[in-house]
Amino acid sequence: MGPLPRPTDEFIQRDTGLHAPALTPGYKTSVLRSPRLALIAIEQTLSEITAPAFRPEELGPLDHDLILNFAKDGGLPIGERIIVHGIVRDELGRPVPNALVEIWQANAGGRYRHRNDKYLAPIDPNFGGCGRRLTDANGYYVFRTIKPGPYPWRNRINDWRPSHIHFSLMGDGWAQRLITQMYFEGDPLIPDCPIVRTIPSEEQVRGLIAVQDRAAFVPLDSRAYRFDITLRGRRATLFENHVQGASA
Amino acid sequence: MRYPETASQTGGPYVHIGLAPQQAGFDIFENNFGADLCTPATLGERIAIEGQVIDGSGAVLCDVLLEIWQANAAGKYAHPGDLQARPLDDAFRGWGRGGADFDTGLYRFDTIKPGPVVGRKGQMQAPHINVWVVARGINMGLNTRLYFSDEAAANAADPVLNSIEWVQRRATLIAQRGERDGLPVYRFDIRLQGEGETVFFDI
């Protein structure tokens, strides 16, 4: 695996070919919101290799339990009870500990608890739809939630989002900051989704599809899905890499 | 063995549910991450940053969310990768997030002006704030930097600004200093596309 990286090391250049380009006309909103000029590549400095850190006590004990964190008066949200878990690792396979993982999703009917969502499916009084936690020393995370429903959206007139959970990741460097979406194995809406189709390769789409994980089921209670996430890795160097000069 | 970085996807129109639930319209977490980076104990000059994010038709985005990351007033990042012999400020993490107003598209951060931070090969960087922009229609979060209009000399010597080949585009990264009720307010509009397109970085 080579030398362990240090927090002073820079990140490996991003392989932009693994990601959607900015302009993806099949996803119509991108047309006016995509920069048309090339991104300007910069050599990383302290600004890019550092990032905020979070302490466990900043998060509440139920923040990662979407079944209970908005439940009222002994009620429970409607829908299929599931566990979503996995590891956050870097490109070289090393765990990313203490990463802030934040998720949000629609309820079982495909409706978001958001003042701008006007879909006719009902709000679930016992479901907020967001959660967060820090990865442990092994980069592991686990959430409990209900399976989100698919929903229609105005792109073409009959486009539907597959069931999905949004993930936000804050690792150890600003250059690792990432937002993505997790899909569910076997969902027939995945291949037709214009947002999924922004991704340039089948292999990268596969990386967003959580697989059912029978070994992690809780008998008589919940099914489980496994979703591992890869963030950029630091380039451990044997020689001074000049991200910062001597103490200034 | 190399694993490919997980593909980025848009934050979508409801990004606030996950990252700023109070703005989405409900109260769920006891501790919320917000756009005020300071406590009364924070050291440094208090400033506000305000602006709008504008699309290729000139329309203002009302569903955009921004995050900022910056050094403290002494020019030090709260992270073990920063080895500069400068003090940390226990009352300043240097990170904040805020959604634009759903009606006006105006975003705002309350923070302090960062000190200059050393760059590569010992060259000093001008004071700056790292800005990350996500919204519906943006497939991968956009990275840019905010510099300060009252730091003309430092800006002129900044290695990152100077690495931008198109000299006239550097001005898209300079926030303009104004004042409101005695508080310095920097205006920083971000143009996603078209005339005056903001410089975005591949970091």
Side-chain angles (χ1 to χ4, degrees), chain B residues 76-89:
Chain B
K76 176 137 178 130
Y77 283 102
H79 182 275
D82 186 339
L83 302 180
Q84 298 176 100
R86 297 176 183 185
L88 287 167
D89 180 349

Side-chain angles (χ1 to χ4, degrees), chain A residues 191-204:
Chain A
D192 291 333
C193 174
I195 289 178
V196 172
R197 285 180 171 186
T198 62
I199 297 170
S201 77
E202 283 298 320
E203 188 189 345
Q204 282 294 86

